Amino acid sequence: MIFKSGTHKTTPRVPMDNGQPGGTIQWLVEEDLLEQCGRCFTIVTVLPGAEIPYHQHVGEFEVFYVIAGSGMYSDNGIPVRVAAGDCMFCKENEYHGLKNDGAENVVLAALCGYPHGKPK
């Protein structure tokens, strides 16, 4: 199966404090095609000053791969500077978030998967 460029659904991300969109999520492969193994595979764009709020992954894990930009990643409350080429893994029941504190967009590939099959 091939999904051609330009055919993916794109939705706004969590808004910034000023109400402006914090970026976008481009939905590359959605849950119904991931064979009960995951929720989504996406490209996430986080605008300068925006963030992926600190949150917990219950019943799933998440992998981020930084394609472009840099920011401050929170790995279970431990801040780590990340940049293009870095890969972050948030295990089931752990916490993470990312703040774009730079001047350019942070672009991530993101995969949310189920470590034990789809939760019931």
Side-chain angles (χ1 to χ4, degrees), residues 44 63-71 73 81-88 98 104-110:
V44 179
V63 180
F64 285 160
Y65 177 78
V66 184
I67 297 169
S70 65
Y73 180 77
R81 173 132 320 266
V82 295
D86 291 341
C87 185
M88 299 86 82
L98 182 129
E104 64 182 69
N105 292 347
V106 173
V107 181
L108 307 166

Short mmCIF file of all heavy atoms in Angstrom, two decimals, residues 44 63-71 73 81-88 98 104-110:
data_model
loop_
_atom_site.label_atom_id
_atom_site.label_comp_id
_atom_site.label_asym_id
_atom_site.label_seq_id
_atom_site.Cartn_x
_atom_site.Cartn_y
_atom_site.Cartn_z
N VAL A 44 4.68 15.25 13.07
CA VAL A 44 4.22 16.31 13.95
C VAL A 44 5.13 17.53 13.75
O VAL A 44 6.36 17.40 13.81
CB VAL A 44 4.26 15.87 15.43
CG1 VAL A 44 3.81 17.00 16.34
CG2 VAL A 44 3.41 14.62 15.63
N VAL A 63 7.30 6.68 20.11
CA VAL A 63 8.64 6.92 19.60
C VAL A 63 8.61 8.23 18.82
O VAL A 63 7.72 8.43 17.98
CB VAL A 63 9.11 5.78 18.66
CG1 VAL A 63 10.51 6.06 18.14
CG2 VAL A 63 9.04 4.43 19.36
N PHE A 64 9.55 9.12 19.11
CA PHE A 64 9.75 10.35 18.33
C PHE A 64 11.09 10.24 17.62
O PHE A 64 12.08 9.81 18.23
CB PHE A 64 9.85 11.59 19.23
CG PHE A 64 8.59 12.09 19.84
CD1 PHE A 64 8.65 12.92 20.95
CD2 PHE A 64 7.34 11.80 19.32
CE1 PHE A 64 7.51 13.43 21.54
CE2 PHE A 64 6.18 12.31 19.90
CZ PHE A 64 6.28 13.13 21.01
N TYR A 65 11.14 10.67 16.37
CA TYR A 65 12.39 10.83 15.64
C TYR A 65 12.41 12.25 15.13
O TYR A 65 11.49 12.66 14.41
CB TYR A 65 12.51 9.83 14.48
CG TYR A 65 13.76 10.06 13.69
CD1 TYR A 65 14.99 9.59 14.15
CD2 TYR A 65 13.73 10.76 12.49
CE1 TYR A 65 16.15 9.83 13.44
CE2 TYR A 65 14.89 10.99 11.77
CZ TYR A 65 16.10 10.52 12.25
OH TYR A 65 17.25 10.76 11.54
N VAL A 66 13.43 13.02 15.50
CA VAL A 66 13.50 14.43 15.11
C VAL A 66 14.05 14.53 13.69
O VAL A 66 15.19 14.15 13.42
CB VAL A 66 14.38 15.25 16.09
CG1 VAL A 66 14.35 16.73 15.70
CG2 VAL A 66 13.95 15.06 17.53
N ILE A 67 13.22 15.05 12.79
CA ILE A 67 13.60 15.23 11.39
C ILE A 67 14.28 16.58 11.20
O ILE A 67 15.26 16.69 10.47
CB ILE A 67 12.35 15.12 10.49
CG1 ILE A 67 11.76 13.71 10.60
CG2 ILE A 67 12.69 15.48 9.04
CD1 ILE A 67 10.38 13.57 9.97
N ALA A 68 13.76 17.61 11.87
CA ALA A 68 14.30 18.97 11.74
C ALA A 68 14.06 19.74 13.02
O ALA A 68 13.12 19.47 13.76
CB ALA A 68 13.65 19.69 10.56
N GLY A 69 14.92 20.74 13.25
CA GLY A 69 14.77 21.61 14.41
C GLY A 69 15.39 21.04 15.66
O GLY A 69 16.06 20.00 15.64
N SER A 70 15.17 21.74 16.77
CA SER A 70 15.68 21.29 18.06
C SER A 70 14.76 21.83 19.15
O SER A 70 14.02 22.79 18.94
CB SER A 70 17.11 21.78 18.30
OG SER A 70 17.14 23.18 18.39
N GLY A 71 14.81 21.19 20.29
CA GLY A 71 13.97 21.61 21.40
C GLY A 71 14.38 20.94 22.68
O GLY A 71 15.36 20.19 22.73
N TYR A 73 13.33 18.30 25.37
CA TYR A 73 12.50 17.13 25.58
C TYR A 73 12.50 16.81 27.07
O TYR A 73 13.54 16.90 27.73
CB TYR A 73 13.09 15.96 24.78
CG TYR A 73 12.34 14.66 24.91
CD1 TYR A 73 11.15 14.46 24.22
CD2 TYR A 73 12.82 13.62 25.69
CE1 TYR A 73 10.47 13.26 24.31
CE2 TYR A 73 12.14 12.42 25.78
CZ TYR A 73 10.97 12.24 25.10
OH TYR A 73 10.29 11.05 25.19
N ARG A 81 18.21 18.21 25.77
CA ARG A 81 18.16 18.91 24.49
C ARG A 81 18.22 17.87 23.37
O ARG A 81 19.05 16.96 23.40
CB ARG A 81 19.35 19.87 24.36
CG ARG A 81 19.41 20.48 22.97
CD ARG A 81 19.60 21.96 22.88
NE ARG A 81 18.90 22.81 23.80
CZ ARG A 81 17.70 23.39 23.56
NH1 ARG A 81 17.09 23.16 22.42
NH2 ARG A 81 17.16 24.18 24.43
N VAL A 82 17.30 18.00 22.41
CA VAL A 82 17.26 17.08 21.27
C VAL A 82 17.29 17.89 19.98
O VAL A 82 16.88 19.05 19.95
CB VAL A 82 16.01 16.17 21.31
CG1 VAL A 82 16.07 15.24 22.52
CG2 VAL A 82 14.72 16.96 21.29
N ALA A 83 17.79 17.26 18.92
CA ALA A 83 17.92 17.91 17.62
C ALA A 83 17.76 16.87 16.52
O ALA A 83 17.68 15.67 16.80
CB ALA A 83 19.27 18.61 17.53
N ALA A 84 17.76 17.34 15.28
CA ALA A 84 17.59 16.46 14.13
C ALA A 84 18.51 15.25 14.24
O ALA A 84 19.68 15.37 14.56
CB ALA A 84 17.86 17.22 12.84
N GLY A 85 17.94 14.08 14.01
CA GLY A 85 18.67 12.82 14.08
C GLY A 85 18.52 12.10 15.40
O GLY A 85 18.85 10.92 15.51
N ASP A 86 17.98 12.77 16.43
CA ASP A 86 17.78 12.12 17.72
C ASP A 86 16.47 11.33 17.73
O ASP A 86 15.49 11.72 17.08
CB ASP A 86 17.74 13.16 18.86
CG ASP A 86 19.09 13.81 19.10
OD1 ASP A 86 20.11 13.25 18.68
OD2 ASP A 86 19.10 14.89 19.72
N CYS A 87 16.48 10.24 18.48
CA CYS A 87 15.31 9.38 18.61
C CYS A 87 14.99 9.23 20.09
O CYS A 87 15.90 8.96 20.89
CB CYS A 87 15.59 8.03 17.96
SG CYS A 87 14.16 6.92 17.95
N MET A 88 13.73 9.40 20.45
CA MET A 88 13.31 9.29 21.84
C MET A 88 12.23 8.22 21.94
O MET A 88 11.36 8.12 21.08
CB MET A 88 12.74 10.63 22.33
CG MET A 88 13.74 11.77 22.28
SD MET A 88 13.82 12.61 20.69
CE MET A 88 12.46 13.72 20.79
N LEU A 98 7.66 17.89 24.87
CA LEU A 98 8.70 18.58 24.11
C LEU A 98 8.32 20.04 23.94
O LEU A 98 7.20 20.35 23.56
CB LEU A 98 8.88 17.94 22.73
CG LEU A 98 9.97 18.59 21.90
CD1 LEU A 98 10.93 17.55 21.37
CD2 LEU A 98 9.39 19.39 20.77
N GLU A 104 13.12 27.78 14.73
CA GLU A 104 12.57 27.08 13.56
C GLU A 104 11.64 25.97 14.03
O GLU A 104 11.67 25.56 15.19
CB GLU A 104 13.69 26.52 12.68
CG GLU A 104 14.56 25.47 13.35
CD GLU A 104 15.68 24.98 12.45
OE1 GLU A 104 16.60 25.77 12.19
OE2 GLU A 104 15.61 23.81 12.04
N ASN A 105 10.80 25.49 13.12
CA ASN A 105 9.89 24.40 13.45
C ASN A 105 10.65 23.15 13.89
O ASN A 105 11.71 22.85 13.34
CB ASN A 105 9.03 24.03 12.24
CG ASN A 105 8.05 25.10 11.85
OD1 ASN A 105 7.82 26.05 12.60
ND2 ASN A 105 7.48 24.98 10.67
N VAL A 106 10.08 22.43 14.85
CA VAL A 106 10.55 21.08 15.16
C VAL A 106 9.63 20.14 14.39
O VAL A 106 8.40 20.25 14.48
CB VAL A 106 10.49 20.76 16.67
CG1 VAL A 106 10.82 19.30 16.93
CG2 VAL A 106 11.45 21.66 17.44
N VAL A 107 10.22 19.25 13.61
CA VAL A 107 9.45 18.28 12.84
C VAL A 107 9.84 16.89 13.32
O VAL A 107 11.03 16.54 13.34
CB VAL A 107 9.71 18.43 11.32
CG1 VAL A 107 8.88 17.42 10.53
CG2 VAL A 107 9.41 19.85 10.86
N LEU A 108 8.83 16.12 13.74
CA LEU A 108 9.05 14.79 14.30
C LEU A 108 8.27 13.74 13.53
O LEU A 108 7.13 14.00 13.14
CB LEU A 108 8.51 14.72 15.74
CG LEU A 108 8.92 15.73 16.77
CD1 LEU A 108 7.99 15.64 17.97
CD2 LEU A 108 10.34 15.46 17.19
N ALA A 109 8.85 12.57 13.35
CA ALA A 109 8.06 11.39 13.01
C ALA A 109 7.66 10.80 14.36
O ALA A 109 8.48 10.72 15.28
CB ALA A 109 8.89 10.40 12.21
N ALA A 110 6.41 10.42 14.50
CA ALA A 110 5.92 9.90 15.78
C ALA A 110 5.11 8.62 15.54
O ALA A 110 4.24 8.58 14.67
CB ALA A 110 5.06 10.93 16.49
#
